[in-house]
């Protein structure tokens, strides 16, 4: 095992080069963490312009919520910039939005927490009802809808939902919050083809390479970070990145500007 | 309803997953005509598991594309008999397979042999620790088969599945680098052990420092290109980290597709029928002989498939449910404490710690399903249990099996649940943390069982299976003890922070734990406490065999499939060499 400091960009570049990972840029590197706008049109977002399930008002709620849950900050763009609201909207329009692969026959009972999700509501119905009720609660107690609140107030509302401290009629507030938070994480880290993780913002943040390269020989290099420009499924399909015979992309090292900025 | 009737065959397997494919091939090669009925779709590496589409965490790991579609059939669950069982509406705790290859398409590939002790739990525990070692309501029992009987079948399965590992006990002689506690093996593994990741190296060093005996987890992820005894060629693993819940683009994970199906599907005496959901085994009026099975085809038509031999190879839940729906064997009644079908359902009892490091970095996305290091010092009866208040144990491991981001975002305790603080922690610790987990056994109890639900039905109107299951004091003490050892090892790595597991409460169907469901059609030497005899043959209907982890009388501290594979070859051998020459009860 080597004693080189794992954080040194020089050792990282040397490491990547020693692996035969192209040090030049075969892959057009899209954007940087500091620049939220994608440098390339997101092909998946051109499939369905406009919301797929949510109304414009509901969309504003979801946008405000995800921007609060994973905010843009000194580390770079957040969930809003990553397209997480679009992701959630499209998931709601997908088979998952009607729990197509769940068992949905009654009778419906409440059960113990260990028995899992027992609501007859689908995600579509749950989002619709809970957004309307949360907005009504915000109007009543704060004089404006959720998306018009300032960040501190939005944080308070989300905290209250998470703690079940807002009484919603259609669905336990905590259930709504956990679905919203789970979907936010999904949208921030799923492959960009689902409409979120735009410009691979989520993957860049943590150093996840996306579609895997062949890592044989690399795994044994201990304490040496492997930071590359992440590759999406559509990058490979569009041949934006060279691949081996099995379709594993050849990763290129993350550009130095980003390495030094962290 | 008058059913369509297909021409009779010698053998029908219900399900074509890991067990169904092995039995299908062994019996076709023995000269029998075999039909495999699989309720899911056909699947193969090309095009189903190809890059880049297969590296899709959302589709496969989060939305479970390769697992069972619960809209058609699920099971119901409750912790205790006094509760009302409710349907498992979403997948969670376990992910049963559906489709050709079964769960062995999207499994991880950690391929263990149970210990010699595990096959004689009841007699050995009582002999060493006295009659009180097992709780009064514990129904754990001996298997009716011993490790030594199964050894060559373990070996056969490991060769077919190309397992990579390091022997620790070759014909009684201890080998360095392997698991010193394992039962004696007749031969080395067919492939070398997996390489060691950074996390694995830290584990190895820490465990050795504490006087334990670390070794590589036996792996069905090929450590080199390999051709198995059936002539199937498997590719070398590239450690891409998309194993569990995914198919393998490299043909490098042993699965029915990569090991058995190439030969089986080409076999002139074999026919695969997909979209065939078996709903019952048909019996003669006297109930002592099976005539074949009835299934619903993709169009919803009832089809009768006559067969001389019916093999239930449909995973634990369908195996037990089909016995109950068909009236084979006496259903278990926990109140009266008699009957056998559904008795002794068990599972796994596990826990883990996460260690965070400011001064180390990992590449957690690299790895393979079975790439890791483990110790077996606290499994089975490998240590003295005197005064501990439990029997059994588990292995302790550190895996590098591919940390896909949606499901691998560990943050130190005290981190905010969301917002900038969470984001900062995730960005920092995704590459600076590792997990150490224990994988514990579960004894069987009078109150843990499977039966038919009185209320809920599947898409065709048949009752769902009902699971009644909870952990008992033995398992709670055991997991606390094992978690303590995990913490000791983690501390020896000198991390900057540790997230500790809490005490074990009730079993929950919600978070994923493992698809290691066991029992319900258990094997044994006594027909009053077992559904199948030591050859996995029904005591009641001798031309029905029930193959799989449904036969485990209780669960050991290992993943099940090595033992399931050995039992498959053991049963195939008994059918070919003993049953076929003289059809009838083998015990
Ligand atoms: C995510 C995951 C990870 C795992 N990792 C490991 C591991 O690392 N190590 C290990 O030892 N084990 C592991 N396992 C367990 C392993 O996959 C199983 O032990 C193994 O597949 C069991 O083989 P089987 O033949 O009993 O069931 P399966 O392989 O699942 O095959 C059963 C087949 O029967 C079909 N079927 C069911 N009911 C019917 C019916 N009524 N009619 C027709 N067909 C039917 C199903 O569709 C399925 O295809 C894992 C499982 C999962 C899900």
């Amino acid at each position: 095992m080597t004693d080189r400091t794992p954080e040194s960009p020089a050792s990282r570049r040397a490491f990547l080069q020693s692996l035969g990972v192209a040090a030049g840029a075969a892959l057009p590197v899209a954007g940087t963490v500091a620049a939220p706008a994608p440098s390339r049109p997101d092909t998946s977002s051109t499939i369905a312009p406009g919301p797929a399930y949510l109304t414009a008002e509901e969309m504003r709620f979801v946008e405000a919520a995800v921007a609060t849950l994973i905010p843009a900050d000194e580390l770079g763009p957040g969930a809003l910039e990553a397209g997480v609201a679009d992701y959630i909207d499209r998931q709601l329009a997908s088979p998952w939005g009607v729990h197509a692969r769940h068992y949905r026959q009654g009778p419906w009972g409440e059960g113990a927490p260990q028995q899992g999700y027992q609501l007859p509501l689908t995600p579509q119905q749950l989002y619709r009802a809970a957004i309307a009720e949360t907005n009504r609660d915000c109007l009543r107690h704060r004089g404006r809808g959720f998306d018009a609140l300032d960040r501190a107030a939005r944080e308070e509302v989300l905290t209250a939902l998470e703690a079940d401290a807002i009484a919603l009629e259609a669905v336990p507030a905590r259930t709504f919050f956990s679905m919203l938070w789970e979907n936010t994480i999904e949208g921030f880290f799923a492959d960009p083809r689902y409409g979120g993780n735009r410009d691979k913002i989520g993957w860049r943040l943590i150093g996840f390479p996306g579609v895997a390269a062949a890592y044989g020989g690399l795994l044994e290099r201990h304490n040496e970070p492997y930071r590359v420009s992440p590759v999406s499924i559509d990058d490979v399909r569009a041949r934006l990145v060279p691949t081996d015979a099995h379709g594993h992309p050849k990763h290129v090292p993350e550009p130095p500007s980003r390495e030094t900025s962290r | 309803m008058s059913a369509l009737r297909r021409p009779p065959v010698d053998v029908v397997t219900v399900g074509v997953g890991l067990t169904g494919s092995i039995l299908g091939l062994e019996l076709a090669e023995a000269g029998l005509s075999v039909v495999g009925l699989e309720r899911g779709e056909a699947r193969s590496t090309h095009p189903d598991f190809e890059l880049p589409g297969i590296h899709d965490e959302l589709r496969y790991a989060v939305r479970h594309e390769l697992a069972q579609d619960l809209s058609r059939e699920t099971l119901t669950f409750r912790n205790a008999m006094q509760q009302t069982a409710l349907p498992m509406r979403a997948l969670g705790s376990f992910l049963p397979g559906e489709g050709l290859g079964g769960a062995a398409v999207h499994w991880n590939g950690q391929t263990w042999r149970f210990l010699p002790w595990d096959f004689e739990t009841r007699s050995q525990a009582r002999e060493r620790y006295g009659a009180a070692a097992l709780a009064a309501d514990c129904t754990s029992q001996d298997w009716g088969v011993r490790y030594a009987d199964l050894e060559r079948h373990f070996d056969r399965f490991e060769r077919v599945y190309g397992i990579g590992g390091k022997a620790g006990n070759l014909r009684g002689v201890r080998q360095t680098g392997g698991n010193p506690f394992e039962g004696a093996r007749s031969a080395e593994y067919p492939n070398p052990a997996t390489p060691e990741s950074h996390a694995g190296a830290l584990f190895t060093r820490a465990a050795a420092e504490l006087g334990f005996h670390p070794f590589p987890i036996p792996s069905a992820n090929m450590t080199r290109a390999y051709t198995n005894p059936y002539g199937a060629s498997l590719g070398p693993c590239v450690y891409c980290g998309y194993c569990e819940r995914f198919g393998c683009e490299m043909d490098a994970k042993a699965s029915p597709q990569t090991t058995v199906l190439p030969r089986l599907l080409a076999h002139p005496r074999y026919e695969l029928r997909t979209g065939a959901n078996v709903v019952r085994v048909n019996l003669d009026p006297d109930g002592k002989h099976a005539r074949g099975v009835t299934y619903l085809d993709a169009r919803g038509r009832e089809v009768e498939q006559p067969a001389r031999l019916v093999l239930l190879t449909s995973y634990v839940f369908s195996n037990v449910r089909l016995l109950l729906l068909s009236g084979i064997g006496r259903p278990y009644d926990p109140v009266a404490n008699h009957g056998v079908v559904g008795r002794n359902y068990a599972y796994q009892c596990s826990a883990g710690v996460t260690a965070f490091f400011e001064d180390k970095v990992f590449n957690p996305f690299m790895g393979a399903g079975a790439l890791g290091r483990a110790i077996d010092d606290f499994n089975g009866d490998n240590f003295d249990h005197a005064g501990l208040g439990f029997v059994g144990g588990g292995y302790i491991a550190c895996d590098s099996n591919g940390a896909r981001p949606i499901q691998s975002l560990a943050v130190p305790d005290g981190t905010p649940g969301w917002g900038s603080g969470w984001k900062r922690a995730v960005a920092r610790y995704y590459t600076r943390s590792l997990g150490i987990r224990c994988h514990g056994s579960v004894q069987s109890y009078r109150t843990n069982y499977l039966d038919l639900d009185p209320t809920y039905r599947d898409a065709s109107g048949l009752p769902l299976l009902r699971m009644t299951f909870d952990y008992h004091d033995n398992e709670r003490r055991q997991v606390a003890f094992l978690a303590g050892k995990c913490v000791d090892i983690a501390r020896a790595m000198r991390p900057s922070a540790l997230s500790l597991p809490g005490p074990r409460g009730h079993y929950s169907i919600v978070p994923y734990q493992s698809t290691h469901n066991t029992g319900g059609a258990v094997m044994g030497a006594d027909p009053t406490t077992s559904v199948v005899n030591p050859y996995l043959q029904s005591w009641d209907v001798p031309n029905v065999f029930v193959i799989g982890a449904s036969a485990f009388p209780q669960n050991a501290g290992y993943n099940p499939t090595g033992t399931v594979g050995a039992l498959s070859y053991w049963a195939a051998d008994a059918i070919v060499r003993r049953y076929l020459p003289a059809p009838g009860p083998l015990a």
Side-chain angles (χ1 to χ4, degrees):
Chain A
M1 193 193 300
T2 145
D3 286 318
R4 275 181 294 181
T5 49
E7 298 301 272
S8 138
S11 78
R12 188 176 308 139
R13 259 192 311 280
F15 168 51
L16 289 167
Q17 276 158 12
S18 72
L19 312 171
V21 175
L27 174 68
V29 176
T32 67
V33 169
S39 63
R40 194 173 49 244
D42 176 357
T43 47
S44 48
S45 67
T46 58
I47 298 164
Y53 172 75
L54 296 171
T55 66
E57 188 192 343
E58 289 165 344
M59 195 67 179
R60 283 200 299 278
F61 180 101
V62 172
E63 284 172 352
V66 303
T68 315
L69 289 168
I70 307 182
D73 55 19
E74 75 284 356
L75 280 181
L80 179 65
E81 296 75 18
V84 170
D86 288 334
Y87 164 85
I88 291 176
D89 178 48
R90 281 188 220 172
Q91 285 297 303
L92 288 170
S94 79
W96 175 81
V98 293
H99 273 168
R101 282 165 62 88
H102 282 206
Y103 181 80
R104 292 195 33 78
Q105 293 184 40
W108 300 86
E110 210 164 290
Q114 300 88 258
Q115 291 175 300
Y117 191 87
Q118 294 294 339
L119 293 174
L121 298 177
T122 63
Q124 288 186 349
Q125 295 165 332
L126 193 148
Y127 267 85
R128 181 135 295 158
I131 289 174
E133 282 199 62
T134 308
N135 265 336
R136 269 202 297 282
D137 187 88
C138 291
L139 275 172
R140 189 167 337 120
H141 294 106
R142 299 169 188 269
R144 49 184 73 181
F146 178 78
D147 66 279
L149 299 174
D150 63 22
R151 159 158 331 187
R154 290 199 312 254
E155 284 177 356
E156 281 171 29
V157 173
L158 289 173
T159 304
L161 287 172
E162 183 177 20
D164 243 347
I166 296 181
L168 303 186
E169 202 41 56
V171 49
R174 184 181 290 146
T175 305
F176 173 49
F177 179 87
S178 35
M179 191 178 280
L180 181 62
W181 176 227
E182 257 173 49
N183 292 156
T184 303
I185 292 178
E186 289 163 13
F188 201 62
F189 292 108
D191 188 277
R193 67 196 297 254
Y194 297 100
N197 192 12
R198 202 168 279 160
D199 198 27
K200 299 154 227 165
I201 283 169
W203 291 352
R204 287 177 206 281
L205 176 72
I206 60 170
F208 180 70
V211 179
Y215 297 134
L218 305 187
L219 178 107
E220 297 94 322
R221 324 256 327 215
H222 297 172
N223 223 17
E224 299 182 28
Y226 181 86
R227 295 295 286 229
V228 296
S229 285
V231 173
S232 71
I233 290 172
D234 285 341
D235 289 343
V236 177
R237 293 218 166 111
R239 297 179 195 284
L240 293 176
V241 49
T243 56
D244 70 15
H246 295 277
H248 298 103
K250 297 213 162 45
H251 289 152
V252 296
E254 193 181 40
S257 63
R258 190 165 309 111
E259 292 190 40
T260 46
S261 72
R262 187 164 298 121
Chain B
M1 199 192 309
S2 75
L4 296 167
R5 200 160 182 277
R6 294 291 203 129
V9 292
D10 295 328
V11 183
V12 62
T13 76
V14 179
V16 187
L18 184 127
T19 56
S21 54
I22 289 175
L23 269 295
L25 182 52
E26 289 293 305
L27 298 185
E29 306 239 299
L32 304 181
S33 60
V34 183
V35 162
L37 298 174
E38 166 54 50
R39 70 177 171 192
E41 295 171 353
R43 288 194 181 113
S44 51
T45 305
H46 305 287
D48 300 310
F49 314 143
E50 279 174 8
L51 279 173
I54 195 70
H55 286 193
D56 186 337
E57 183 186 15
L58 184 74
R59 179 170 175 186
Y60 295 102
V62 181
R63 300 281 183 253
H64 313 301
E65 176 139 333
L66 298 175
Q68 185 174 327
D69 179 353
L70 299 188
S71 71
R72 291 200 288 271
E73 184 189 320
T74 183
L75 48 76
T76 67
F77 162 71
R78 58 186 178 173
N79 283 126
M81 280 172 63
Q82 314 80 265
Q83 292 175 320
T84 303
L86 292 176
M88 177 177 79
R89 297 190 176 279
L91 286 167
S93 174
F94 41 84
L95 302 173
E98 185 172 281
L100 186 59
V105 165
H106 64 275
W107 72 319
N108 250 341
Q110 307 182 359
T111 313
W112 299 85
R113 298 179 174 198
F114 285 7
L115 294 166
W117 184 87
D118 291 319
F119 297 95
E120 298 163 80
T121 300
R122 185 169 200 90
S123 53
Q124 298 263 355
R126 289 160 65 101
E127 189 183 316
R128 182 164 176 189
Y129 303 108
L134 301 174
D137 61 345
C138 175
T139 51
S140 292
Q141 60 196 42
D142 294 1
W143 292 47
V145 64
R146 276 188 295 229
Y147 173 81
D149 305 320
L150 292 178
E151 201 287 328
R152 73 189 172 90
H153 304 286
F154 273 114
D155 183 69
R156 171 92 172 144
F157 178 67
E158 287 167 359
R159 265 156 229 293
V160 170
Y161 267 56
I163 306 307
K166 178 77 198 79
N169 178 350
L170 265 185
R171 292 175 289 272
V173 182
R174 188 146 159 194
Q175 311 289 309
T176 42
N179 175 8
F181 299 99
E182 69 178 349
R185 13 172 97 249
S186 52
E188 191 36 284
Y189 285 96
N191 281 314
T194 57
E196 191 161 71
S197 66
H198 185 199
L202 294 177
F203 177 88
T204 299
R205 201 181 316 138
E209 233 174 77
L210 295 173
F212 307 145
H213 300 85
F215 59 92
I217 293 175
S219 164
N221 320 118
M222 293 308 109
T223 50
R224 61 181 175 195
Y226 177 70
T227 301
N228 80 359
Y230 295 135
S233 293
L234 292 93
C237 179
V238 298
Y239 309 108
C240 78
Y242 290 85
C243 232
E244 183 173 44
R245 307 182 181 205
F246 301 86
C248 178
E249 71 269 15
M250 287 295 292
D251 284 328
K253 175 166 67 176
S255 66
Q257 274 77 355
T258 57
T259 59
V260 176
L261 288 173
R263 179 130 157 192
L264 180 60
L265 295 179
H267 205 287
R269 280 185 295 276
Y270 186 77
E271 187 198 341
L272 168 70
R273 245 172 262 157
T274 53
N277 185 27
V278 175
V279 291
R280 102 186 137 254
V281 180
N282 300 314
L283 302 181
D284 274 349
D286 68 1
K288 296 203 166 89
H289 182 82
R291 288 188 312 225
V293 301
T294 293
Y295 64 91
L296 302 175
D297 73 5
R299 289 166 60 180
R301 296 178 301 192
E302 270 205 12
V303 184
E304 206 183 310
Q305 176 61 63
R308 290 201 291 139
L309 202 50
V310 173
L311 308 182
L312 298 183
T313 54
S314 54
Y315 195 60
V316 174
F317 299 128
S318 280
N319 282 359
V320 173
R321 182 168 179 255
L322 286 169
L323 291 172
L324 292 169
L325 290 176
S326 312
I328 300 175
R330 190 165 181 180
Y332 174 60
D333 176 345
V335 179
N337 198 22
H338 63 54
V340 286
V341 183
R343 183 173 167 273
N344 282 23
Y345 171 76
Y347 192 52
Q348 214 85 67
C349 188
S350 307
V353 302
T354 308
F356 301 88
F357 297 87
E358 297 301 337
D359 62 340
K360 295 183 174 60
V361 68
F362 309 97
N363 296 315
F365 40 84
M366 296 180 187
L371 195 144
R373 296 297 182 259
I375 60 163
D376 223 12
D377 298 63
F378 302 103
N379 211 340
D381 202 32
N382 297 343
F383 59 112
D384 187 359
H385 289 66
L388 294 178
F390 66 87
V391 298
Y395 69 80
I396 291 170
C398 176
D399 308 291
S400 295
N401 49 16
R404 283 90 47 189
I406 298 171
Q407 298 185 322
S408 312
L409 297 172
V411 289
D413 293 345
T415 303
W418 40 273
S420 274
W422 177 84
K423 187 181 172 190
R424 211 173 304 121
V426 158
R428 175 128 193 104
Y429 292 107
Y430 171 67
T431 53
R432 289 182 182 81
S433 54
L434 59 78
I436 298 175
R437 68 183 168 98
C438 60
H439 192 93
S441 58
V442 169
Q443 300 308 318
S444 288
Y445 299 91
R446 194 166 158 176
T447 49
N448 287 344
Y449 65 101
L450 305 170
D451 66 354
L452 292 177
D453 192 273
T455 307
Y456 293 96
R457 298 187 167 249
D458 72 8
S460 56
L462 294 169
L464 296 180
L465 196 67
R466 174 170 67 178
M467 174 194 294
T468 306
F469 178 77
D470 207 349
Y471 293 120
H472 285 229
D473 286 346
N474 186 82
E475 285 60 49
R476 293 203 173 94
R477 289 189 201 116
Q478 171 196 290
V479 78
F481 175 85
L482 292 173
K485 301 295 174 194
C486 294
V487 171
D488 292 346
I489 297 173
R491 289 230 160 91
M493 295 178 176
R494 288 172 285 281
S496 51
L498 265 188
S499 289
L500 306 179
R504 177 59 48 136
H506 292 294
Y507 167 69
S508 166
I509 200 105
V510 181
Y512 186 75
Q513 287 147 79
S514 78
T515 313
H516 302 168
N517 317 85
T518 64
V522 312
M523 61 196 291
D526 176 356
T528 65
T529 54
S530 56
V531 172
V532 293
N533 67 26
Y535 303 97
L536 277 66
Q537 178 184 38
S538 162
W539 287 109
D540 301 272
V541 185
N543 66 333
V544 171
F545 286 72
V546 189
I547 322 269
S550 52
F552 295 5
Q554 57 275 339
N555 203 7
Y558 297 106
N559 314 54
T561 307
T563 301
V564 168
L567 287 179
S568 300
Y569 280 104
W570 160 256
D573 187 66
I575 293 170
V576 171
R577 294 198 311 137
R578 300 195 42 210
Y579 179 87
L580 292 180
L586 297 178

